Amino acid sequence: EVQLVESGGGLVQAGGSLRLSCAASGFSFDDYSIGWFRQAPGKEREGVSYISTNDEITYYADSVKGRFTISSDHAKETVYLQMNNLKPEDTAVYYCAAGEAFYSDLEAARGMEYWGKGTTVTVSS
């Protein structure tokens, strides 16, 4: 059974940091690229970051560039999203997704096959 399990969300003050984890199982992790997405209340889901299968290519939404860093631990089959200098507008449910393809940008990555159930990040002002 394919599973993507997000963890690490929580409540943090503006300027603080969180590290989200996406633990994968049930598929060949090394053959899949991973994306992070988020959905704020009343808004559409948006792409946040992406990492390719070989970790060589990463994408970031303009709104998080310089603050968020995506990384992958293939031994643990886990992808991380380090989020620094958090802002209230980062408040959302964060999802990870996996796709057996190379995606040209975050918009294309919306088509990833497998999705987790999300973890909630709340940033207070």
Side-chain angles (χ1 to χ4, degrees):
E1 179 188 6
V2 172
Q3 280 195 315
L4 293 169
V5 180
E6 304 94 337
S7 61
L11 173 64
V12 63
Q13 288 188 330
S17 298
L18 285 172
R19 189 178 78 158
L20 304 184
S21 299
C22 172
S25 62
F27 61 95
S28 180
F29 183 82
D30 290 346
D31 294 334
Y32 280 73
S33 53
I34 303 292
W36 282 99
F37 300 80
R38 67 186 181 186
Q39 187 166 17
K43 295 188 176 182
E44 291 187 356
R45 188 173 297 185
E46 63 174 348
V48 175
S49 186
Y50 164 93
I51 188 164
S52 63
T53 54
N54 57 8
D55 302 345
E56 291 185 354
I57 295 174
T58 57
Y59 304 139
Y60 295 94
D62 288 343
S63 59
V64 307
K65 280 180 182 176
R67 299 189 297 123
F68 290 10
T69 303
I70 192 169
S71 61
S72 180
D73 185 331
H74 287 258
K76 295 183 178 180
E77 297 191 335
T78 299
V79 172
Y80 303 98
L81 186 68
Q82 178 67 43
M83 307 187 297
N84 297 329
N85 190 23
L86 283 161
K87 303 176 180 181
E89 51 264 42
D90 294 319
T91 295
V93 178
Y94 284 71
Y95 302 88
C96 66
E100 193 178 20
F102 172 77
Y103 297 87
S104 56
D105 53 36
L106 288 173
E107 184 63 27
R110 289 172 175 266
M112 287 182 163
E113 295 98 294
Y114 305 122
W115 290 78
K117 294 183 179 180
T119 186
T120 300
V121 172
T122 304
V123 184
S124 63
S125 57

